Amino acid sequence: MASASYRPDAPSTGSRWCGPWSRVAAIEWLDPLWPAGHWVPEQIRAAGGEPLLAEAGEHTTAIGWERLRASQPEVVPLMPCGFPPERARAEWLC
């Protein structure tokens, strides 16, 4: 690990889930629909994606499905923040 380094400014060729410059709308909560902010947009950029709905360091607020659709994402990772698996599954299936 001593030789590992993270360079957020390094160019990326994409990752397994994001091609170079895929439009990514990361979602933390499902009910209400809540986009991921804080450090997630920076992680998306590091993976080669273009973060939508939030900027690095931003504290986000709930949005409607219309705003998600209007952002025209190519990738929508769902990553329930702080939820036990049962709650995340229940909200996804509602």
Side-chain angles (χ1 to χ4, degrees):
M1 290 300 292
S3 65
S5 64
Y6 170 67
R7 290 188 44 220
D9 59 333
S12 175
T13 58
S15 72
R16 181 175 171 195
W17 305 109
C18 277
W21 308 114
S22 293
R23 296 171 50 82
V24 181
I27 302 297
E28 283 190 325
W29 291 358
L30 301 171
D31 187 19
L33 192 61
W34 204 287
H38 300 287
W39 56 85
V40 175
E42 187 175 17
Q43 292 172 322
I44 292 168
R45 282 199 194 286
E50 175 190 351
L52 306 173
L53 305 174
E55 295 296 324
E58 182 180 353
H59 177 75
T60 58
T61 58
I63 64 169
W65 287 99
E66 304 78 31
R67 182 161 174 217
L68 175 61
R69 279 190 295 273
S71 72
Q72 299 181 353
E74 295 170 306
V75 179
V76 183
L78 303 176
M79 41 189 168
C81 179
F83 293 175
E86 301 78 24
R87 179 174 173 186
R89 182 178 177 87
E91 287 189 10
W92 175 248
L93 297 175
C94 66

